[in-house]
Amino acid sequence: MSDWQGRVAFISGGVSGLGLGIAQAFSDAGMRLALSYRNEDYRASAAAWFAANGREEPLWIKLDVMDRAGWAAAADAVEAHFGEVHVLCNNAGVSVFGDTAEASHADYDWIMGVNFGGVVNGIVAFLPKLKAAQGKRHVVNIASMAAYLSGPQAGIYTASKFAVRGLTESLRYNLVPLGIGCTLVCPALIRTNAWDSAFRRPAEFASSGFGAVDKAQLEQFGSVFQAGMDPHEAGTKIVAGMSAGAGLVFTHPEFAEDFKAIYEDSLAALPDEVAPPERLEVERMRREANKAALAGKAITIDDLS
């Protein structure tokens, strides 16, 4: 029997793309699901999969991940429907491309608001439920390989994923002592329609510095996504990482060259000089505090000085 049998999981944006793949994998593992959505067609398509495969129908929750009151209501609804809540998966996001040097406030507000703000909202709304629950519990935050690899056409998206990475890595130190797992997931190319977010841009964020969307150009770029990994396969890898207690899950293997370059560039950028003993001691204490946190100790600021 799966470690996750009977656990209750909430997945934001869990009705299409990677979110649906995660939902399918969670269902395979025996979890009971609550899935948020915005698009009724995507919800209907997801419902058809659950019905066709003889799975328990999820609790469907319509949610804008930038709506904090909506998140609070969603958390209460999941608890009221299932009882305890054990797993939070922050997946919803938008993937928007353009020259960062031309970006407007609206570009930043929308992309950061969904991709980072949505994760924050999920954590604030659902962590009290997870803390109150018993047994195996977990937070999964979906970032992207963009959390490590920057590029010239996705600056704000990349910033949002760097932010999710930093938040999740830090949050893990706080959750492990509480008996709650925490995993950062950095997928690469997935066979989804994530490329078309610009077509669904809300009116309140319409003032973009990126200019008008070139539909033909964007659709041509979208064809690249057909080479991506099947979302269900990626979801299965995520469940395996959760079960192993992994703090980090890479779903794709094709980035060794990039990580080698990051490692070498980072070492080369360090000053070639000896640090004073006082600073070395500060960093030693930081490393020891991090190790202690992952071993189950609640760390306070006193442990860092």
Side-chain angles (χ1 to χ4, degrees), residues 207-258:
S207 181
S208 174
F210 296 149
V213 177
D214 186 324
K215 187 172 185 293
Q217 184 183 56
L218 196 56
E219 288 177 343
Q220 173 60 34
F221 175 68
S223 66
V224 172
F225 283 70
Q226 292 307 305
M229 179 180 289
D230 179 83
H232 197 162
E233 177 186 352
T236 300
K237 292 182 176 183
I238 292 167
V239 172
M242 293 167 60
S243 297
L248 174 64
V249 170
F250 291 134
T251 53
H252 292 57
E254 54 263 35
F255 295 95
E257 179 180 347
D258 298 281

mmCIF file of all heavy atoms in Angstrom, residues 207-258:
data_model
loop_
_atom_site.group_PDB
_atom_site.id
_atom_site.type_symbol
_atom_site.label_atom_id
_atom_site.label_comp_id
_atom_site.label_asym_id
_atom_site.label_seq_id
_atom_site.Cartn_x
_atom_site.Cartn_y
_atom_site.Cartn_z
ATOM 1 N N SER A 207 -1.800 46.401 -19.288
ATOM 2 C CA SER A 207 -0.825 47.404 -19.725
ATOM 3 C C SER A 207 0.586 46.818 -19.742
ATOM 4 O O SER A 207 1.418 47.083 -18.871
ATOM 5 C CB SER A 207 -0.869 48.616 -18.782
ATOM 6 O OG SER A 207 0.033 49.601 -19.202
ATOM 7 N N SER A 208 0.865 46.022 -20.764
ATOM 8 C CA SER A 208 2.141 45.312 -20.848
ATOM 9 C C SER A 208 3.181 46.106 -21.622
ATOM 10 O O SER A 208 2.874 46.723 -22.649
ATOM 11 C CB SER A 208 1.937 43.960 -21.532
ATOM 12 O OG SER A 208 3.184 43.326 -21.752
ATOM 13 N N GLY A 209 4.402 46.058 -21.141
ATOM 14 C CA GLY A 209 5.504 46.664 -21.875
ATOM 15 C C GLY A 209 6.041 45.768 -22.965
ATOM 16 O O GLY A 209 6.905 46.173 -23.754
ATOM 17 N N PHE A 210 5.540 44.524 -23.022
ATOM 18 C CA PHE A 210 6.028 43.566 -24.013
ATOM 19 C C PHE A 210 5.427 43.792 -25.395
ATOM 20 O O PHE A 210 5.878 43.210 -26.374
ATOM 21 C CB PHE A 210 5.704 42.129 -23.575
ATOM 22 C CG PHE A 210 6.387 41.706 -22.305
ATOM 23 C CD1 PHE A 210 5.777 40.804 -21.452
ATOM 24 C CD2 PHE A 210 7.635 42.199 -21.959
ATOM 25 C CE1 PHE A 210 6.393 40.400 -20.277
ATOM 26 C CE2 PHE A 210 8.270 41.807 -20.796
ATOM 27 C CZ PHE A 210 7.642 40.902 -19.946
ATOM 28 N N GLY A 211 4.401 44.619 -25.488
ATOM 29 C CA GLY A 211 3.753 44.854 -26.773
ATOM 30 C C GLY A 211 2.674 43.819 -27.053
ATOM 31 O O GLY A 211 2.437 42.899 -26.271
ATOM 32 N N ALA A 212 2.026 43.983 -28.199
ATOM 33 C CA ALA A 212 0.936 43.082 -28.579
ATOM 34 C C ALA A 212 1.458 41.662 -28.796
ATOM 35 O O ALA A 212 2.570 41.464 -29.280
ATOM 36 C CB ALA A 212 0.269 43.584 -29.856
ATOM 37 N N VAL A 213 0.629 40.684 -28.421
ATOM 38 C CA VAL A 213 1.005 39.285 -28.593
ATOM 39 C C VAL A 213 0.942 38.930 -30.070
ATOM 40 O O VAL A 213 -0.061 39.181 -30.748
ATOM 41 C CB VAL A 213 0.057 38.372 -27.793
ATOM 42 C CG1 VAL A 213 0.406 36.906 -28.037
ATOM 43 C CG2 VAL A 213 0.124 38.705 -26.307
ATOM 44 N N ASP A 214 2.034 38.366 -30.589
ATOM 45 C CA ASP A 214 2.077 37.873 -31.972
ATOM 46 C C ASP A 214 1.590 36.424 -31.935
ATOM 47 O O ASP A 214 2.344 35.518 -31.563
ATOM 48 C CB ASP A 214 3.499 37.965 -32.523
ATOM 49 C CG ASP A 214 3.585 37.595 -33.996
ATOM 50 O OD1 ASP A 214 2.842 36.687 -34.427
ATOM 51 O OD2 ASP A 214 4.403 38.195 -34.707
ATOM 52 N N LYS A 215 0.329 36.213 -32.297
ATOM 53 C CA LYS A 215 -0.291 34.899 -32.150
ATOM 54 C C LYS A 215 0.465 33.819 -32.916
ATOM 55 O O LYS A 215 0.738 32.736 -32.390
ATOM 56 C CB LYS A 215 -1.745 34.955 -32.620
ATOM 57 C CG LYS A 215 -2.553 33.693 -32.356
ATOM 58 C CD LYS A 215 -4.023 33.936 -32.674
ATOM 59 C CE LYS A 215 -4.891 32.739 -32.310
ATOM 60 N NZ LYS A 215 -4.607 31.566 -33.155
ATOM 61 N N ALA A 216 0.829 34.110 -34.157
ATOM 62 C CA ALA A 216 1.525 33.099 -34.977
ATOM 63 C C ALA A 216 2.889 32.763 -34.383
ATOM 64 O O ALA A 216 3.294 31.587 -34.329
ATOM 65 C CB ALA A 216 1.677 33.611 -36.406
ATOM 66 N N GLN A 217 3.593 33.784 -33.921
ATOM 67 C CA GLN A 217 4.912 33.560 -33.330
ATOM 68 C C GLN A 217 4.809 32.723 -32.062
ATOM 69 O O GLN A 217 5.596 31.792 -31.839
ATOM 70 C CB GLN A 217 5.567 34.906 -33.023
ATOM 71 C CG GLN A 217 6.992 34.810 -32.482
ATOM 72 C CD GLN A 217 7.533 36.186 -32.130
ATOM 73 O OE1 GLN A 217 6.936 36.928 -31.347
ATOM 74 N NE2 GLN A 217 8.663 36.544 -32.731
ATOM 75 N N LEU A 218 3.820 33.036 -31.232
ATOM 76 C CA LEU A 218 3.661 32.304 -29.980
ATOM 77 C C LEU A 218 3.237 30.864 -30.249
ATOM 78 O O LEU A 218 3.702 29.925 -29.577
ATOM 79 C CB LEU A 218 2.638 33.009 -29.093
ATOM 80 C CG LEU A 218 2.629 32.611 -27.612
ATOM 81 C CD1 LEU A 218 4.003 32.796 -26.987
ATOM 82 C CD2 LEU A 218 1.595 33.432 -26.853
ATOM 83 N N GLU A 219 2.372 30.656 -31.214
ATOM 84 C CA GLU A 219 1.954 29.295 -31.551
ATOM 85 C C GLU A 219 3.115 28.482 -32.101
ATOM 86 O O GLU A 219 3.223 27.276 -31.835
ATOM 87 C CB GLU A 219 0.791 29.332 -32.542
ATOM 88 C CG GLU A 219 -0.512 29.791 -31.910
ATOM 89 C CD GLU A 219 -1.649 29.902 -32.909
ATOM 90 O OE1 GLU A 219 -1.344 29.939 -34.136
ATOM 91 O OE2 GLU A 219 -2.815 29.968 -32.481
ATOM 92 N N GLN A 220 3.995 29.123 -32.860
ATOM 93 C CA GLN A 220 5.189 28.433 -33.349
ATOM 94 C C GLN A 220 6.065 28.007 -32.173
ATOM 95 O O GLN A 220 6.571 26.878 -32.129
ATOM 96 C CB GLN A 220 5.983 29.346 -34.291
ATOM 97 C CG GLN A 220 7.340 28.789 -34.740
ATOM 98 C CD GLN A 220 7.221 27.466 -35.482
ATOM 99 O OE1 GLN A 220 6.244 27.216 -36.204
ATOM 100 N NE2 GLN A 220 8.198 26.595 -35.287
ATOM 101 N N PHE A 221 6.235 28.904 -31.203
ATOM 102 C CA PHE A 221 6.997 28.557 -30.010
ATOM 103 C C PHE A 221 6.307 27.424 -29.252
ATOM 104 O O PHE A 221 6.964 26.516 -28.723
ATOM 105 C CB PHE A 221 7.146 29.785 -29.104
ATOM 106 C CG PHE A 221 7.822 29.505 -27.793
ATOM 107 C CD1 PHE A 221 9.161 29.152 -27.739
ATOM 108 C CD2 PHE A 221 7.112 29.594 -26.605
ATOM 109 C CE1 PHE A 221 9.782 28.887 -26.533
ATOM 110 C CE2 PHE A 221 7.721 29.337 -25.389
ATOM 111 C CZ PHE A 221 9.060 28.985 -25.357
ATOM 112 N N GLY A 222 4.987 27.448 -29.217
ATOM 113 C CA GLY A 222 4.239 26.418 -28.510
ATOM 114 C C GLY A 222 4.451 25.026 -29.073
ATOM 115 O O GLY A 222 4.322 24.032 -28.351
ATOM 116 N N SER A 223 4.815 24.943 -30.363
ATOM 117 C CA SER A 223 5.040 23.627 -30.971
ATOM 118 C C SER A 223 6.217 22.905 -30.321
ATOM 119 O O SER A 223 6.293 21.675 -30.329
ATOM 120 C CB SER A 223 5.270 23.768 -32.477
ATOM 121 O OG SER A 223 6.490 24.464 -32.746
ATOM 122 N N VAL A 224 7.143 23.673 -29.735
ATOM 123 C CA VAL A 224 8.291 23.078 -29.047
ATOM 124 C C VAL A 224 7.824 22.206 -27.889
ATOM 125 O O VAL A 224 8.454 21.181 -27.571
ATOM 126 C CB VAL A 224 9.234 24.193 -28.534
ATOM 127 C CG1 VAL A 224 10.335 23.635 -27.654
ATOM 128 C CG2 VAL A 224 9.820 24.974 -29.702
ATOM 129 N N PHE A 225 6.723 22.579 -27.260
ATOM 130 C CA PHE A 225 6.259 21.872 -26.073
ATOM 131 C C PHE A 225 5.794 20.454 -26.382
ATOM 132 O O PHE A 225 5.671 19.636 -25.467
ATOM 133 C CB PHE A 225 5.140 22.663 -25.399
ATOM 134 C CG PHE A 225 5.629 23.839 -24.600
ATOM 135 C CD1 PHE A 225 6.169 24.961 -25.226
ATOM 136 C CD2 PHE A 225 5.574 23.837 -23.218
ATOM 137 C CE1 PHE A 225 6.631 26.041 -24.504
ATOM 138 C CE2 PHE A 225 6.029 24.925 -22.476
ATOM 139 C CZ PHE A 225 6.565 26.020 -23.121
ATOM 140 N N GLN A 226 5.564 20.148 -27.659
ATOM 141 C CA GLN A 226 5.171 18.784 -28.019
ATOM 142 C C GLN A 226 6.295 17.789 -27.788
ATOM 143 O O GLN A 226 6.058 16.578 -27.699
ATOM 144 C CB GLN A 226 4.714 18.739 -29.486
ATOM 145 C CG GLN A 226 3.420 19.491 -29.744
ATOM 146 C CD GLN A 226 2.308 19.037 -28.806
ATOM 147 O OE1 GLN A 226 1.988 17.853 -28.734
ATOM 148 N NE2 GLN A 226 1.720 19.988 -28.080
ATOM 149 N N ALA A 227 7.521 18.289 -27.677
ATOM 150 C CA ALA A 227 8.655 17.413 -27.374
ATOM 151 C C ALA A 227 8.807 17.172 -25.884
ATOM 152 O O ALA A 227 9.702 16.435 -25.449
ATOM 153 C CB ALA A 227 9.955 18.032 -27.925
ATOM 154 N N GLY A 228 7.939 17.787 -25.088
ATOM 155 C CA GLY A 228 8.080 17.728 -23.633
ATOM 156 C C GLY A 228 7.696 16.394 -23.032
ATOM 157 O O GLY A 228 7.077 15.529 -23.665
ATOM 158 N N MET A 229 8.039 16.238 -21.770
ATOM 159 C CA MET A 229 7.713 15.038 -20.995
ATOM 160 C C MET A 229 6.215 14.964 -20.757
ATOM 161 O O MET A 229 5.543 15.989 -20.592
ATOM 162 C CB MET A 229 8.459 15.092 -19.653
ATOM 163 C CG MET A 229 8.203 13.911 -18.724
ATOM 164 S SD MET A 229 9.138 14.065 -17.167
ATOM 165 C CE MET A 229 10.810 13.783 -17.760
ATOM 166 N N ASP A 230 5.684 13.760 -20.733
ATOM 167 C CA ASP A 230 4.276 13.572 -20.401
ATOM 168 C C ASP A 230 4.025 14.039 -18.972
ATOM 169 O O ASP A 230 4.781 13.699 -18.052
ATOM 170 C CB ASP A 230 3.913 12.097 -20.538
ATOM 171 C CG ASP A 230 2.467 11.844 -20.176
ATOM 172 O OD1 ASP A 230 1.593 12.042 -21.033
ATOM 173 O OD2 ASP A 230 2.212 11.461 -19.016
ATOM 174 N N PRO A 231 3.000 14.847 -18.729
ATOM 175 C CA PRO A 231 2.753 15.373 -17.380
ATOM 176 C C PRO A 231 2.563 14.297 -16.323
ATOM 177 O O PRO A 231 2.986 14.470 -15.179
ATOM 178 C CB PRO A 231 1.485 16.213 -17.552
ATOM 179 C CG PRO A 231 1.456 16.592 -18.996
ATOM 180 C CD PRO A 231 2.060 15.431 -19.721
ATOM 181 N N HIS A 232 1.927 13.193 -16.688
ATOM 182 C CA HIS A 232 1.705 12.106 -15.731
ATOM 183 C C HIS A 232 3.043 11.493 -15.309
ATOM 184 O O HIS A 232 3.248 11.161 -14.132
ATOM 185 C CB HIS A 232 0.793 11.052 -16.359
ATOM 186 C CG HIS A 232 0.174 10.108 -15.377
ATOM 187 N ND1 HIS A 232 -0.924 9.341 -15.684
ATOM 188 C CD2 HIS A 232 0.499 9.774 -14.104
ATOM 189 C CE1 HIS A 232 -1.257 8.590 -14.645
ATOM 190 N NE2 HIS A 232 -0.395 8.826 -13.669
ATOM 191 N N GLU A 233 3.956 11.357 -16.253
ATOM 192 C CA GLU A 233 5.294 10.846 -15.920
ATOM 193 C C GLU A 233 5.987 11.776 -14.928
ATOM 194 O O GLU A 233 6.595 11.326 -13.940
ATOM 195 C CB GLU A 233 6.149 10.713 -17.188
ATOM 196 C CG GLU A 233 7.575 10.253 -16.911
ATOM 197 C CD GLU A 233 8.466 10.249 -18.140
ATOM 198 O OE1 GLU A 233 7.958 10.462 -19.259
ATOM 199 O OE2 GLU A 233 9.682 10.032 -17.973
ATOM 200 N N ALA A 234 5.904 13.078 -15.191
ATOM 201 C CA ALA A 234 6.511 14.039 -14.268
ATOM 202 C C ALA A 234 5.862 13.948 -12.896
ATOM 203 O O ALA A 234 6.545 13.990 -11.861
ATOM 204 C CB ALA A 234 6.373 15.454 -14.830
ATOM 205 N N GLY A 235 4.535 13.801 -12.854
ATOM 206 C CA GLY A 235 3.845 13.670 -11.583
ATOM 207 C C GLY A 235 4.295 12.456 -10.798
ATOM 208 O O GLY A 235 4.451 12.508 -9.566
ATOM 209 N N THR A 236 4.525 11.349 -11.505
ATOM 210 C CA THR A 236 4.984 10.123 -10.848
ATOM 211 C C THR A 236 6.360 10.331 -10.221
ATOM 212 O O THR A 236 6.645 9.844 -9.115
ATOM 213 C CB THR A 236 5.015 8.974 -11.863
ATOM 214 O OG1 THR A 236 3.692 8.770 -12.377
ATOM 215 C CG2 THR A 236 5.508 7.685 -11.225
ATOM 216 N N LYS A 237 7.232 11.082 -10.898
ATOM 217 C CA LYS A 237 8.558 11.371 -10.349
ATOM 218 C C LYS A 237 8.453 12.257 -9.108
ATOM 219 O O LYS A 237 9.242 12.128 -8.166
ATOM 220 C CB LYS A 237 9.425 12.048 -11.411
ATOM 221 C CG LYS A 237 9.798 11.123 -12.568
ATOM 222 C CD LYS A 237 10.701 11.826 -13.572
ATOM 223 C CE LYS A 237 11.147 10.872 -14.666
ATOM 224 N NZ LYS A 237 12.093 11.511 -15.617
ATOM 225 N N ILE A 238 7.486 13.145 -9.110
ATOM 226 C CA ILE A 238 7.278 14.013 -7.954
ATOM 227 C C ILE A 238 6.838 13.192 -6.746
ATOM 228 O O ILE A 238 7.343 13.377 -5.634
ATOM 229 C CB ILE A 238 6.264 15.119 -8.296
ATOM 230 C CG1 ILE A 238 6.875 16.084 -9.327
ATOM 231 C CG2 ILE A 238 5.827 15.870 -7.040
ATOM 232 C CD1 ILE A 238 5.868 17.016 -9.973
ATOM 233 N N VAL A 239 5.907 12.282 -6.935
ATOM 234 C CA VAL A 239 5.468 11.421 -5.832
ATOM 235 C C VAL A 239 6.634 10.599 -5.295
ATOM 236 O O VAL A 239 6.797 10.443 -4.077
ATOM 237 C CB VAL A 239 4.316 10.507 -6.277
ATOM 238 C CG1 VAL A 239 3.980 9.481 -5.193
ATOM 239 C CG2 VAL A 239 3.070 11.329 -6.609
ATOM 240 N N ALA A 240 7.470 10.077 -6.189
ATOM 241 C CA ALA A 240 8.633 9.295 -5.757
ATOM 242 C C ALA A 240 9.568 10.148 -4.906
ATOM 243 O O ALA A 240 10.090 9.692 -3.878
ATOM 244 C CB ALA A 240 9.372 8.733 -6.968
ATOM 245 N N GLY A 241 9.777 11.411 -5.310
ATOM 246 C CA GLY A 241 10.621 12.301 -4.531
ATOM 247 C C GLY A 241 10.023 12.598 -3.173
ATOM 248 O O GLY A 241 10.733 12.621 -2.149
ATOM 249 N N MET A 242 8.723 12.830 -3.126
ATOM 250 C CA MET A 242 8.046 13.057 -1.841
ATOM 251 C C MET A 242 8.221 11.855 -0.928
ATOM 252 O O MET A 242 8.521 11.998 0.263
ATOM 253 C CB MET A 242 6.555 13.311 -2.078
ATOM 254 C CG MET A 242 6.226 14.590 -2.808
ATOM 255 S SD MET A 242 4.505 14.621 -3.386
ATOM 256 C CE MET A 242 3.595 14.455 -1.837
ATOM 257 N N SER A 243 8.020 10.661 -1.474
ATOM 258 C CA SER A 243 8.116 9.439 -0.677
ATOM 259 C C SER A 243 9.520 9.238 -0.132
ATOM 260 O O SER A 243 9.699 8.691 0.966
ATOM 261 C CB SER A 243 7.703 8.232 -1.521
ATOM 262 O OG SER A 243 6.347 8.345 -1.924
ATOM 263 N N ALA A 244 10.517 9.692 -0.886
ATOM 264 C CA ALA A 244 11.909 9.569 -0.456
ATOM 265 C C ALA A 244 12.327 10.684 0.492
ATOM 266 O O ALA A 244 13.461 10.684 0.990
ATOM 267 C CB ALA A 244 12.830 9.549 -1.677
ATOM 268 N N GLY A 245 11.435 11.649 0.728
ATOM 269 C CA GLY A 245 11.764 12.777 1.589
ATOM 270 C C GLY A 245 12.727 13.756 0.952
ATOM 271 O O GLY A 245 13.431 14.499 1.647
ATOM 272 N N ALA A 246 12.745 13.800 -0.380
ATOM 273 C CA ALA A 246 13.683 14.668 -1.096
ATOM 274 C C ALA A 246 13.284 16.130 -0.951
ATOM 275 O O ALA A 246 12.109 16.478 -1.095
ATOM 276 C CB ALA A 246 13.740 14.289 -2.574
ATOM 277 N N GLY A 247 14.267 16.980 -0.698
ATOM 278 C CA GLY A 247 14.002 18.409 -0.661
ATOM 279 C C GLY A 247 13.957 19.022 -2.036
ATOM 280 O O GLY A 247 13.410 20.113 -2.222
ATOM 281 N N LEU A 248 14.517 18.324 -3.026
ATOM 282 C CA LEU A 248 14.605 18.832 -4.395
ATOM 283 C C LEU A 248 14.338 17.709 -5.368
ATOM 284 O O LEU A 248 14.906 16.615 -5.243
ATOM 285 C CB LEU A 248 16.009 19.408 -4.648
ATOM 286 C CG LEU A 248 16.348 19.853 -6.070
ATOM 287 C CD1 LEU A 248 15.464 21.014 -6.510
ATOM 288 C CD2 LEU A 248 17.823 20.247 -6.165
ATOM 289 N N VAL A 249 13.467 17.966 -6.340
ATOM 290 C CA VAL A 249 13.183 17.003 -7.401
ATOM 291 C C VAL A 249 13.413 17.670 -8.746
ATOM 292 O O VAL A 249 12.780 18.689 -9.059
ATOM 293 C CB VAL A 249 11.738 16.474 -7.323
ATOM 294 C CG1 VAL A 249 11.391 15.670 -8.576
ATOM 295 C CG2 VAL A 249 11.544 15.617 -6.079
ATOM 296 N N PHE A 250 14.336 17.126 -9.506
ATOM 297 C CA PHE A 250 14.494 17.463 -10.921
ATOM 298 C C PHE A 250 13.815 16.346 -11.711
ATOM 299 O O PHE A 250 14.135 15.168 -11.525
ATOM 300 C CB PHE A 250 15.964 17.547 -11.330
ATOM 301 C CG PHE A 250 16.714 18.720 -10.753
ATOM 302 C CD1 PHE A 250 17.971 18.547 -10.189
ATOM 303 C CD2 PHE A 250 16.192 19.996 -10.797
ATOM 304 C CE1 PHE A 250 18.673 19.625 -9.668
ATOM 305 C CE2 PHE A 250 16.872 21.085 -10.274
ATOM 306 C CZ PHE A 250 18.126 20.890 -9.712
ATOM 307 N N THR A 251 12.889 16.699 -12.577
ATOM 308 C CA THR A 251 12.172 15.678 -13.346
ATOM 309 C C THR A 251 12.891 15.306 -14.632
ATOM 310 O O THR A 251 12.622 14.255 -15.203
ATOM 311 C CB THR A 251 10.764 16.185 -13.703
ATOM 312 O OG1 THR A 251 10.876 17.464 -14.345
ATOM 313 C CG2 THR A 251 9.908 16.326 -12.442
ATOM 314 N N HIS A 252 13.794 16.169 -15.093
ATOM 315 C CA HIS A 252 14.448 15.978 -16.389
ATOM 316 C C HIS A 252 15.955 15.789 -16.200
ATOM 317 O O HIS A 252 16.558 16.478 -15.364
ATOM 318 C CB HIS A 252 14.208 17.190 -17.293
ATOM 319 C CG HIS A 252 12.783 17.366 -17.737
ATOM 320 N ND1 HIS A 252 11.743 17.490 -16.851
ATOM 321 C CD2 HIS A 252 12.237 17.464 -18.986
ATOM 322 C CE1 HIS A 252 10.601 17.647 -17.548
ATOM 323 N NE2 HIS A 252 10.882 17.628 -18.827
ATOM 324 N N PRO A 253 16.583 14.930 -17.004
ATOM 325 C CA PRO A 253 18.004 14.628 -16.817
ATOM 326 C C PRO A 253 18.976 15.460 -17.649
ATOM 327 O O PRO A 253 20.191 15.311 -17.489
ATOM 328 C CB PRO A 253 18.083 13.158 -17.258
ATOM 329 C CG PRO A 253 17.079 13.072 -18.371
ATOM 330 C CD PRO A 253 15.940 13.989 -17.948
ATOM 331 N N GLU A 254 18.500 16.351 -18.491
ATOM 332 C CA GLU A 254 19.348 16.901 -19.550
ATOM 333 C C GLU A 254 20.106 18.179 -19.201
ATOM 334 O O GLU A 254 20.434 18.976 -20.096
ATOM 335 C CB GLU A 254 18.519 17.132 -20.833
ATOM 336 C CG GLU A 254 17.265 17.972 -20.683
ATOM 337 C CD GLU A 254 16.000 17.140 -20.530
ATOM 338 O OE1 GLU A 254 16.052 16.066 -19.901
ATOM 339 O OE2 GLU A 254 14.955 17.579 -21.043
ATOM 340 N N PHE A 255 20.455 18.383 -17.916
ATOM 341 C CA PHE A 255 21.025 19.669 -17.525
ATOM 342 C C PHE A 255 22.403 19.590 -16.871
ATOM 343 O O PHE A 255 22.842 20.554 -16.245
ATOM 344 C CB PHE A 255 20.035 20.401 -16.617
ATOM 345 C CG PHE A 255 18.766 20.755 -17.333
ATOM 346 C CD1 PHE A 255 17.658 19.924 -17.249
ATOM 347 C CD2 PHE A 255 18.702 21.881 -18.132
ATOM 348 C CE1 PHE A 255 16.494 20.228 -17.933
ATOM 349 C CE2 PHE A 255 17.538 22.195 -18.819
ATOM 350 C CZ PHE A 255 16.426 21.369 -18.728
ATOM 351 N N ALA A 256 23.079 18.465 -17.016
ATOM 352 C CA ALA A 256 24.398 18.330 -16.384
ATOM 353 C C ALA A 256 25.374 19.404 -16.885
ATOM 354 O O ALA A 256 26.153 19.965 -16.112
ATOM 355 C CB ALA A 256 24.962 16.936 -16.639
ATOM 356 N N GLU A 257 25.332 19.697 -18.162
ATOM 357 C CA GLU A 257 26.227 20.712 -18.732
ATOM 358 C C GLU A 257 25.978 22.081 -18.092
ATOM 359 O O GLU A 257 26.925 22.822 -17.776
ATOM 360 C CB GLU A 257 26.012 20.794 -20.247
ATOM 361 C CG GLU A 257 26.867 21.836 -20.937
ATOM 362 C CD GLU A 257 26.629 21.895 -22.434
ATOM 363 O OE1 GLU A 257 25.987 20.980 -22.989
ATOM 364 O OE2 GLU A 257 27.090 22.874 -23.066
ATOM 365 N N ASP A 258 24.713 22.421 -17.885
ATOM 366 C CA ASP A 258 24.377 23.706 -17.284
ATOM 367 C C ASP A 258 24.858 23.785 -15.838
ATOM 368 O O ASP A 258 25.417 24.805 -15.410
ATOM 369 C CB ASP A 258 22.857 23.922 -17.327
ATOM 370 C CG ASP A 258 22.334 23.954 -18.752
ATOM 371 O OD1 ASP A 258 22.479 24.988 -19.413
ATOM 372 O OD2 ASP A 258 21.799 22.929 -19.201
#
